[in-house]
Amino acid sequence: MKTVVAAVIVRDSHVLVCQRKRGGAFPLMWEFPGGKVEPGEDLQTALVRELAEELGISAAIGREVWRTTYQYPGKPEPLLVVFNLADAGAQIPKMDPESFEQITWVSPQELAGFDFLPANDELIAKLVSGALTIG
């Protein structure tokens, strides 16, 4: 099973979301920053690495807030583990143009208006409804 980690990064009551590249898998869909866990990495180490690569930030990883599996057609079932970002300080994320079309900050209620990867549907619904609060 492939494991993917992601971070819900909150600043001033807004959440950072990232739009996938138009030429890649699931083009122009939205996601939380993160990526695949490499062999031999633990979850937190993988997420620290991914955030440094994609956003140029170093971060302390907080508590796990969500875990799910999702079967995309024709793909192996991944395990998605989402963490709260404990501290990114005053760092300003820098978008890696190789990773994303764009990044933006939105309120939890606005998340419903974005076309997220389907594996995130239940998490998004909980964030939008306030059943799960982060930060």
Side-chain angles (χ1 to χ4, degrees):
M1 177 182 289
K2 173 177 68 170
T3 302
V4 176
V5 289
V8 177
I9 303 172
V10 179
R11 180 177 293 150
D12 298 326
S13 301
H14 286 72
V15 179
L16 183 70
V17 295
C18 306
Q19 188 179 40
R20 295 174 72 101
K21 295 293 293 180
R22 69 180 66 246
F26 305 102
L28 302 179
M29 295 191 83
W30 291 85
E31 63 186 354
F32 296 107
K36 295 177 189 132
V37 177
E38 299 293 336
E41 279 184 317
D42 64 40
L43 301 177
Q44 290 83 356
T45 301
L47 187 53
V48 167
R49 176 183 51 75
E50 287 287 347
L51 294 175
E53 290 172 3
E54 293 179 349
L55 301 173
I57 63 174
S58 60
I61 307 303
R63 66 183 170 87
E64 181 180 321
V65 296
W66 189 255
R67 183 178 286 233
T68 192
T69 58
Y70 187 85
Q71 183 69 54
Y72 288 100
K75 301 219 181 241
E77 181 179 64
L79 171 65
L80 173 63
V81 182
V82 180
F83 290 90
N84 185 30
L85 192 63
D87 182 31
Q91 297 176 74
I92 306 296
K94 299 177 190 108
M95 183 187 73
D96 174 9
E98 297 297 316
S99 299
F100 303 117
E101 285 288 323
Q102 61 180 315
I103 62 174
T104 191
W105 295 92
V106 299
S107 72
Q109 295 73 27
E110 291 173 299
L111 292 170
F114 287 78
D115 188 16
F116 269 85
L117 290 167
N120 293 293
D121 287 351
E122 193 174 349
L123 172 60
I124 298 298
K126 289 191 176 292
L127 290 168
V128 168
S129 73
L132 179 63
T133 57
I134 309 290

